[in-house]
Amino acid sequence: MKTIFQRSIVLILLVVSITACKKSFLQNDNPNDIAETLFYQNEKDALFGLYGIYDAYQSPKLFGFKYAMFDGAADNAMNTQNLDDFGDIEKGNNSPVSEPVNDIFTQFYTVINRANYVIKRTTEIDKASISESSRNRIIAEASFLRDFAYFELSNIYRDVPLYLEPNGASSTGKSSSKKAEILAFLKQDLISKIPNLPTTIPAAEYGRTGRGGAVALLGKIYLWEKDYSNAAVTFAQLMTGPYNFTLYSDYAGLFTSNSAAEFSSENIFQINFASDGVDNGSTFAEVVNTSQAPRLPRSSFVPLASLVDSYLCTDGKPIIASTLYGSKSPLYNATGTSRFMNRDPRLRATVFTAADVTASGQKIWSFANTTSFAVRKYIEVSTNQYAANPQNFYIIRYADVLLMYAESKNEELGLPDASVYNAVNLVRRRVKMPDYPAGLTKEQMRLMIRDERRWEFGFEYQRFFDLKRWGTLATEIAALPATAKKNFVNPRDYVWPIPQGELDNNANIAQAEEWR
């Protein structure tokens, strides 16, 4: 049931067709400046504006497609088509005119401008036309969506302009604020708005974000700042109390367009998509149709063998002896497709291998010697046909909270305590992997949690940002074989450049120091 966007965005389109000649209300850079004398008169208008913020997140420039490409900019996959210039980023040829550099920057500011309009106009609605609880919730939700956009911008571009008011066509561009200043504002804003968000979202409002998303984002900010004590305390709030977040029982099934999975108690913040014929479907998700000729899904990039080989066997041992995980697993058989058997179930839920064939041995997907692997996560094996793919994009799951809590608590302590083990083992038990061995040092637990995040969140965009946060992105890319065709210019590539278009249009903004 994907009611919030299917119903509400259609209504927005109907309303605006009366007041404007635009093809779509949601295609405007700022949808909220259309006929403002007619708009933002009551609670329904404010909700329409709020849904417009979510629609900006649906863009192919963000979670409709491009964010699914970030694993190719890390060490999980390699680009095969130089699609949308992500290939240039992988090869160290990033520049201020690279397409992702421009698209992600400008689309996040579309999110921010829409949010600023919602906040301003909802504040101004006469109190007779909206209840205070609804007003406060809509403003808090719009603020959270704006705060998340700034969090991502600061992690990618570091210092960026901080706009807290609507920015019209004649507005003067601002200079960049320091990342530390941006994060300080975000923490203050989230703390003030969290009480106005609900702890649970009723089915009729699926697609909206509640208090858990804001609390999780606050914890992520503390984690990026290496304020491990506050991060652990913040994440711990989501593990008890009124939230009732739990892990969805079927890991592989979580990444299908199944409403029971998509709106389960695991998903804290996600971008909702729908197959409704109103341009609300995603392009990052696909269907591998078993009634048609095999093809390569998500052909823009393919998983690397180093990712596949990193997954442990079901006994918790590696396929090659290692200092961290011990001797080679006796369950591992390197012959043919046997190498994919008896492995952590997340491997084959994340990556298509040559073992993925029909019961009669026919190909499901178009594997060959040159394409040994393909992305499976968010790829549905079915004969379903969609006008547009309805698969939601997960941004913060409860598994993420558990592993971020474990990471924060482990870094805070001299030795990992029982709460660290409990959090990590909950994630592992979901896929029937054995618990971590007792007696791990802080350093051992740190490395294991980092591996756990790679296996749990493969092709969910997290790996690129995790490696940036740990300061190991350059090291991990340098360790890849030459066949991966990757290059990382260190330290330059830890920061993306400000887009050339922004520099041309805003005389007050300066290019990042690494790119001058």
Side-chain angles (χ1 to χ4, degrees):
M1 179 167 55
K2 300 194 175 187
T3 58
I4 184 170
F5 294 110
Q6 287 176 299
R7 180 173 63 245
S8 302
I9 290 179
V10 171
L11 290 173
I12 295 174
L13 292 168
L14 290 174
V15 168
V16 177
S17 68
I18 299 172
T19 61
C21 296
K22 298 288 186 179
K23 177 180 177 183
S24 167
F25 178 83
L26 301 172
Q27 291 173 334
N28 286 274
D29 289 341
N30 170 25
N32 302 299
D33 65 3
I34 299 174
E36 287 189 31
T37 57
L38 301 178
F39 219 61
Y40 288 97
Q41 300 297 307
N42 52 45
E43 180 178 342
K44 183 180 290 186
D45 296 342
L47 284 171
F48 286 162
L50 179 67
Y51 302 153
I53 308 172
Y54 282 102
D55 179 79
Y57 270 112
Q58 288 180 320
S59 168
K61 296 178 180 181
L62 293 180
F63 296 102
F65 178 69
K66 273 199 167 62
Y67 256 65
M69 299 287 289
F70 266 112
D71 274 43
D75 60 343
N76 279 352
M78 63 176 287
N79 192 283
T80 58
Q81 299 177 354
N82 200 34
L83 189 65
D84 293 325
D85 285 343
F86 260 91
D88 284 345
I89 292 171
E90 293 180 51
K91 295 177 179 67
N93 296 328
N94 197 4
S95 78
V97 296
S98 294
E99 191 171 322
V101 168
N102 177 74
D103 284 355
I104 290 172
F105 186 94
T106 56
Q107 191 63 27
F108 269 131
Y109 275 105
T110 296
V111 168
I112 289 164
N113 207 35
R114 291 186 183 187
N116 283 336
Y117 264 91
V118 170
I119 294 166
K120 177 178 173 61
R121 298 305 182 192
T122 302
T123 301
E124 296 170 348
I125 294 175
D126 187 273
K127 63 182 180 181
S129 300
I130 187 171
S131 69
E132 282 306 295
S133 60
S134 293
R135 186 199 310 272
N136 291 339
R137 179 186 175 188
I138 291 168
I139 291 172
E141 194 169 346
S143 297
F144 161 75
L145 294 171
R146 179 184 66 185
D147 292 346
F148 183 81
Y150 274 125
F151 177 69
E152 292 295 288
L153 283 167
S154 68
N155 290 335
I156 298 171
Y157 304 91
R158 193 173 59 210
D159 303 337
V160 296
L162 182 63
Y163 295 99
L164 302 178
E165 293 288 335
N167 202 17
S170 61
S171 300
T172 302
K174 297 180 67 173
S175 60
S176 293
S177 295
K178 296 294 185 182
K179 179 176 180 177
E181 297 169 353
I182 294 170
L183 295 184
F185 167 77
L186 298 184
K187 288 185 292 184
Q188 180 185 42
D189 196 45
L190 288 165
I191 290 169
S192 69
K193 300 301 195 311
I194 282 170
N196 294 327
L197 292 167
T199 55
T200 58
I201 301 295
E205 296 178 350
Y206 279 166
R208 296 184 67 177
T209 307
R211 187 177 301 182
V215 173
L217 177 56
L218 179 62
K220 284 172 74 76
I221 294 170
Y222 286 130
L223 185 59
W224 272 82
E225 293 181 319
K226 296 182 169 52
D227 184 351
Y228 299 119
S229 178
N230 274 321
V233 168
T234 303
F235 291 130
Q237 295 175 33
L238 301 174
M239 297 160 64
T240 57
Y243 296 99
N244 296 317
F245 291 124
T246 58
L247 297 176
Y248 187 68
S249 60
D250 179 7
Y251 179 82
L254 187 61
F255 304 98
T256 59
S257 55
N258 173 353
S259 291
E262 291 177 313
F263 299 109
S264 72
S265 56
E266 175 159 359
N267 292 315
I268 298 173
F269 175 39
Q270 62 184 316
I271 298 302
N272 192 32
F273 291 91
S275 181
D276 61 1
V278 194
D279 197 27
N280 290 322
S282 71
T283 53
F284 71 87
E286 300 179 26
V287 174
V288 170
N289 192 327
T290 54
S291 67
Q292 298 177 353
R295 62 178 182 80
L296 184 65
R298 191 79 73 78
S299 59
S300 50
F301 64 96
V302 297
L304 292 171
S306 55
L307 168 65
V308 173
D309 292 343
S310 72
Y311 286 88
L312 303 176
C313 290
T314 52
D315 58 3
K317 292 182 177 296
I319 67 171
I320 301 173
S322 75
T323 303
L324 188 60
Y325 295 105
S327 59
K328 174 183 173 181
S329 171
L331 300 176
Y332 182 65
N333 181 347
T335 306
T337 57
S338 295
R339 61 185 285 214
F340 309 119
M341 308 303 176
N342 301 316
R343 303 285 293 279
D344 183 328
R346 290 173 294 190
L347 166 57
R348 293 185 59 193
T350 303
V351 177
F352 275 116
T353 73
D356 292 297
V357 295
T358 65
S360 63
Q362 292 180 317
K363 283 186 176 183
I364 291 175
W365 66 282
S366 184
F367 60 85
N369 290 335
T370 55
T371 53
S372 301
F373 308 111
V375 177
R376 180 164 192 167
K377 187 173 283 184
Y378 288 133
I379 306 299
E380 189 172 345
V381 179
S382 173
T383 56
N384 289 337
Q385 294 293 311
Y386 300 116
N389 200 292
Q391 172 68 54
N392 292 358
F393 192 101
Y394 305 144
I395 298 177
I396 303 176
R397 297 194 278 117
Y398 186 52
D400 195 6
V401 167
L402 290 171
L403 292 182
M404 289 190 294
Y405 168 81
E407 179 181 344
S408 303
K409 197 68 176 176
N410 183 62
E411 294 297 333
E412 179 190 2
L413 301 172
L415 284 173
D417 66 3
S419 72
V420 175
Y421 280 92
N422 290 342
V424 176
N425 289 336
L426 273 175
V427 175
R428 291 174 64 81
R429 288 171 190 167
R430 191 241 299 265
V431 290
K432 297 181 172 55
M433 288 295 290
D435 289 353
Y436 277 5
L440 295 175
T441 66
K442 176 180 180 177
E443 290 72 24
Q444 288 171 324
M445 180 63 80
R446 175 191 295 138
L447 293 174
M448 286 186 170
I449 290 172
R450 291 182 178 186
D451 284 341
E452 203 68 40
R453 289 190 63 82
R454 187 183 195 187
W455 301 327
E456 179 70 19
F457 302 114
F459 305 113
E460 293 180 63
Y461 92 89
Q462 301 276 11
R463 181 67 172 173
F464 175 83
F465 292 94
D466 280 343
L467 294 179
K468 281 193 68 170
R469 177 164 58 83
W470 299 326
T472 59
L473 183 56
T475 303
E476 295 298 339
I477 289 178
L480 293 172
T483 53
K485 300 178 181 178
K486 290 181 183 284
N487 183 44
F488 189 91
V489 181
N490 191 20
R492 185 199 71 177
D493 288 347
Y494 273 103
V495 179
W496 280 19
I498 300 297
Q500 188 60 49
E502 179 68 12
L503 295 172
D504 293 341
N505 294 325
N506 180 2
N508 294 316
I509 196 171
Q511 183 58 275
E513 182 178 351
E514 293 85 346
W515 290 89
R516 293 174 193 168

